[in-house]
Amino acid sequence: MMFSVILSTASRYLLPLLLIFSFFLLLRGHNEPGGGFVGGLVAAAAYALYFIANGVYEAEKLLKAEPIKIISLGLLIAILSTIPSIIIGQNFMTGVWLDINFPVIGKIGTPLFFDVGVYLLVLGITLKIIFSLAEEDK
Amino acid sequence: MINQIIILPIILPLIFAVTMLFFWRSVAVHRYINLFGTLVSLVVSIIILVQVISEGIISLQVGSWQAPFGISIVADLLSTVMVVITAVIGFATALYSIGTIDPDREKYLYYPLLQFLLMGINGAFLTGDIFNLYVWFEVMLISSFVLLVLGGTRGQFEGAIKYVTLNLLSSAIFLAAVGILYGVAGTLNMADLARRIPFVEQKELLTVVSVLFMIAFGVKAAIFPLFFWLPASYHTPPVAVSAIFAGLLTKVGVYALIRFFTTIFVHDIGFTHNLLLISAVLTMLTGVLGAAAQSDFRKILSFHIISQIGYMILGLALFSPLAIAGAIFYIIHHIIVKTNLFFVSGVVDKMKGSFDLNKLGGVYKFYPLLGLLFLIPALSLAGIPPLSGFWAKFVVIKAGLEVQEYFVIGIALLVGLLTLFSMTKIWNEVFWKDDPRGYENHLDESYKQITSTKKYLVIAPIVFLALITIIIGFYAEPFFKYANDAAEQLINSSVYINSVLGMR
């Protein structure tokens, strides 16, 4: 793989920006365009850019967790987000919302946690695919 | 509150699969979680069955979105019975897998995939919404694609290419049909469709859509002339995988056909059900004739899946309460028996290192009990009384006599005879004749290294399923009664409609 100083430097600044943007998309979702799926893709794109610039080992080091762990965590959060609906005696997967408004985030409810699960799942699975292909390339 | 329980057969496999992913490095943990998970699913599904029998159809509107706008999960008698059988096969396969699946496959997430597969199958049985059904078909297919190629041998890829291509084609047709149906009827909720279809004006378009669905599910159920992927792929993966595929996957297609052509598309029975009848007869014949030409243990069994599917479709096509009850009884019997036959073929392969009938022989001489364990499902498949297959065939044929389809019944009886011929062929070649290598007990080298615990784990599910076959045979009455009740629910769809659309 060709090493490019410009891309390598740029990716270091772009990574946090893209991650913040992905969080923005995640929180904006539900009622407006955005959500866990798009957010997860943007976050994965951020890491993918870093990997293109610096190679797969650097990218894996930066990520710290194995992609499969991120996938499992995402699925677990998505499953856990369905439990409150059962506890309060509603139908399975009914959205349960808190009445308090938080600054920046807005309302908090189980759909947000479900979206966080989707976010992690999409991030994990995209990175797993990218890293597997990259490692096979070597 | 109690109706929440019907989501469990879908959500439990997911929970167990995710738990396994957290311990993805330790295969031993996977085995225990998988076994425990299938056992829990079995218990839960039996509880649901008891509930459905005592209280009637249970439905659940996911996310509290009112039907027909949200997704409905509906457990009527047919769905629930299918879920129970799925759990039984899941449990048997879990045991069998521990004994037979090699460490490499286990390491690459074999057990979580098995749970995802069960989740997809249960979802397809329980959903009351056609688009949601499509989604569950995809969950099931994607897991089955991976299970089919897991291990990556040459034969597996060859089989998988045919399997994947034809199933993707069928999914595309399914999706197109869903789109057109939504355009025609304006809803995809099965109960709502059943209510609205009599008032749809474009009956011709409706018939076209119903045939599209017939093709889409026909590919999955492997009916004539859409079955070619099945004998090309089912003999390639490990036996545990073939067995669960053979038992359950095609039956999801049959289930969908039964659901659609009893509850929803009954506006033009003269055309659609006659088409099914022709297809059923040809499916029975081609399947059994195809089997007669084979000399590979698993290929013979694969072709017999097709011919047996013909009987189920025949029951549906005859379209009387008795015939549909017969089809449902047939599904129950066939899933158990066919899975068991595949299990036995795996044991023979472990011992002798081959599926080729010409290379096998002499098993009965040294393992008479295994011979008996083969004979029970084999004779049941052929329809010898008093085993379960006899009652299944008896009911379908009796229903045929009632509506005076004598030609079709003649074919069905002939196919039964030819099935017996095939089973006798396997018996003669594998169990009865001497081993072509000589009179001694020739065993595969790898077989001698298998621990006795593993051997028990492999034999246990075979005995378990054989016992169920015998129980269904000797106590056919209650099983038939519930099959009959399930058929009643399908034909009088007003109960189903009221339960889902709420007169609560």
Side-chain angles (χ1 to χ4, degrees):
Chain A
M1 185 181 288
M2 225 177 65
F3 180 76
S4 150
V5 180
I6 297 172
L7 188 61
S8 169
T9 319
S11 74
R12 221 164 293 160
Y13 290 101
L14 278 174
L15 180 73
L17 280 178
L18 281 169
L19 284 180
I20 291 171
F21 182 56
S22 77
F23 286 129
F24 165 71
L25 282 174
L26 167 68
L27 295 175
R28 188 169 185 264
H30 197 68
N31 287 333
E32 285 175 278
F37 193 90
V38 194
L41 278 181
V42 170
Y47 281 105
L49 189 69
Y50 192 84
F51 138 71
I52 291 171
N54 301 308
V56 66
Y57 291 114
E58 288 294 317
E60 276 179 341
K61 219 159 68 186
L62 186 75
L63 191 65
K64 292 198 174 66
E66 288 165 293
I68 196 163
K69 285 272 157 65
I70 301 178
I71 296 172
S72 328
L73 189 66
L75 281 170
L76 186 72
I77 292 174
I79 296 171
L80 290 180
S81 79
T82 63
I83 291 178
S85 61
I86 300 282
I87 292 175
I88 64 162
Q90 289 279 354
N91 275 344
F92 179 75
M93 275 186 104
T94 306
V96 182
W97 296 91
L98 287 179
D99 270 338
I100 322 151
N101 259 317
F102 287 84
V104 186
I105 300 172
K107 275 197 167 182
I108 286 191
T110 50
L112 179 66
F113 286 97
F114 191 83
D115 255 358
V116 171
V118 174
Y119 177 94
L120 290 173
L121 176 65
V122 172
L123 173 66
I125 210 142
T126 318
L127 290 180
K128 178 74 192 162
I129 294 169
I130 292 174
F131 288 168
S132 304
L133 289 175
E135 274 160 14
E136 206 157 89
D137 215 30
K138 292 243 153 62
Chain B
M1 224 13 236
I2 189 70
N3 65 347
Q4 306 296 325
I5 194 179
I6 63 172
I7 198 74
L8 283 179
I10 301 175
I11 213 77
L12 280 176
L14 178 65
I15 293 173
F16 291 120
V18 171
T19 321
M20 282 188 254
L21 285 181
F22 271 102
F23 302 99
W24 75 287
R25 278 185 203 283
S26 125
V27 170
V29 177
H30 283 193
R31 289 184 197 143
Y32 293 121
I33 295 179
N34 188 48
L35 193 62
F36 175 71
T38 49
L39 195 62
V40 171
S41 295
L42 182 60
V43 173
V44 167
S45 62
I46 289 173
I47 293 173
I48 297 175
L49 182 65
V50 172
Q51 283 288 335
V52 171
I53 286 172
S54 64
E55 293 181 15
I57 300 173
I58 303 175
S59 64
L60 163 66
Q61 314 302 336
V62 175
S64 298
W65 299 99
Q66 280 308 305
F69 306 109
I71 292 169
S72 310
I73 301 288
V74 191
D76 68 349
L77 209 45
L78 175 62
S79 304
T80 319
V81 166
M82 296 303 285
V83 167
V84 172
I85 298 286
T86 307
V88 168
I89 298 301
F91 178 62
T93 311
L95 277 174
Y96 195 84
S97 300
I98 296 175
T100 56
I101 294 296
D102 49 299
D104 269 348
R105 288 193 171 88
E106 287 181 325
K107 207 168 69 191
Y108 283 98
L109 304 179
Y110 171 80
Y111 294 110
L113 281 164
L114 215 54
Q115 291 289 344
F116 281 125
L117 182 75
L118 292 173
M119 170 187 171
I121 295 171
N122 283 337
F125 287 148
L126 286 171
T127 185
D129 180 277
I130 297 181
F131 191 78
N132 198 232
L133 178 70
Y134 172 79
V135 174
W136 290 123
F137 263 99
E138 290 304 297
V139 171
M140 181 181 88
L141 282 176
I142 289 170
S143 326
S144 70
F145 293 161
V146 185
L147 279 173
L148 195 61
V149 294
L150 199 65
T153 61
R154 195 187 164 83
Q156 277 181 291
F157 278 112
E158 196 196 325
I161 286 170
K162 295 161 192 162
Y163 179 83
V164 171
T165 317
L166 281 169
N167 275 294
L168 283 183
L169 189 69
S170 120
S171 293
I173 295 171
F174 187 178
L175 201 56
V178 168
I180 302 170
L181 182 63
Y182 190 66
V184 177
T187 180
L188 288 175
N189 185 294
M190 291 180 194
D192 200 27
L193 271 172
R195 193 179 59 174
R196 283 198 198 183
I197 277 203
F199 308 107
V200 170
E201 280 164 18
Q202 302 129 304
K203 289 278 189 267
E204 295 79 15
L205 198 54
L206 213 52
T207 309
V208 173
V209 175
S210 69
V211 173
L212 277 178
F213 276 115
M214 202 188 289
I215 295 171
F217 297 139
V219 172
K220 281 167 188 156
I223 62 174
F224 182 89
L226 308 161
F227 61 78
F228 295 101
W229 56 272
L230 193 150
S233 59
Y234 270 21
H235 63 284
T236 55
V239 176
V241 177
S242 314
I244 197 167
F245 281 20
L248 293 174
L249 291 197
T250 46
K251 262 51 94 198
V252 182
V254 177
Y255 162 82
L257 280 172
I258 291 182
R259 172 73 71 206
F260 275 56
F261 287 91
T262 56
T263 314
I264 302 172
F265 295 120
V266 285
H267 59 284
D268 190 4
I269 292 173
F271 179 71
T272 51
H273 286 65
N274 261 339
L275 206 59
L276 281 171
L277 189 68
I278 296 166
S279 171
V281 171
L282 290 170
T283 309
M284 284 193 286
L285 267 180
T286 43
V288 84
L289 292 177
Q294 299 297 325
S295 65
D296 179 293
F297 203 150
R298 282 200 287 179
K299 271 197 175 169
I300 296 180
L301 295 179
S302 299
F303 272 102
H304 273 293
I305 300 174
I306 299 166
S307 87
Q308 306 289 311
I309 294 282
Y311 282 97
M312 299 165 204
I313 304 299
L314 177 64
L316 169 63
L318 292 173
F319 204 64
S320 67
L322 185 68
I324 291 169
I328 295 168
F329 192 99
Y330 213 106
I331 295 177
I332 300 171
H333 136 78
H334 179 256
I335 290 177
I336 304 276
V337 163
K338 184 56 80 178
T339 309
N340 207 2
L341 284 171
F342 269 90
F343 281 167
V344 174
S345 81
V347 174
V348 172
D349 172 59
K350 283 277 176 215
M351 282 177 177
K352 300 281 183 179
S354 177
F355 288 106
D356 190 346
L357 295 190
N358 298 319
K359 291 182 187 157
L360 292 169
V363 176
Y364 178 74
K365 197 162 158 188
F366 299 99
Y367 305 97
L369 275 179
L370 185 65
L372 182 70
L373 285 176
F374 169 76
L375 268 190
I376 293 170
L379 293 180
S380 178
L381 188 79
I384 302 293
L387 294 160
S388 58
F390 169 72
W391 301 108
K393 280 199 172 67
F394 176 73
V395 174
V396 172
I397 286 168
K398 182 160 181 276
L401 290 177
E402 274 179 10
V403 291
Q404 299 176 336
E405 292 277 2
Y406 297 117
F407 174 71
V408 173
I409 295 311
I411 301 277
L413 289 170
L414 176 73
V415 170
L417 201 64
L418 289 170
T419 310
L420 187 61
F421 161 75
S422 267
M423 290 302 123
T424 321
K425 185 165 101 181
I426 296 180
W427 171 258
N428 274 338
E429 298 284 327
V430 177
F431 292 91
W432 199 246
K433 80 166 190 225
D434 282 322
D435 194 314
R437 286 169 292 188
Y439 293 107
E440 298 91 46
N441 187 10
H442 287 280
L443 287 177
D444 208 50
E445 278 308 311
S446 59
Y447 180 74
K448 291 165 189 161
Q449 287 150 16
I450 300 174
T451 57
S452 59
T453 338
K454 279 200 168 183
K455 284 178 192 165
Y456 284 120
L457 279 172
V458 171
I459 293 298
I462 298 179
V463 175
F464 174 57
L465 294 181
L467 277 178
I468 296 180
T469 312
I470 294 174
I471 290 171
I472 298 178
F474 280 93
Y475 298 96
E477 184 71 33
F479 287 92
F480 180 68
K481 183 183 166 293
Y482 292 127
N484 220 356
D485 291 351
E488 282 298 325
Q489 282 183 356
L490 286 171
I491 288 189
N492 303 324
S493 53
S494 59
V495 186
Y496 184 87
I497 296 171
N498 284 342
S499 162
V500 178
L501 297 178
M503 311 291 162
R504 278 159 292 140

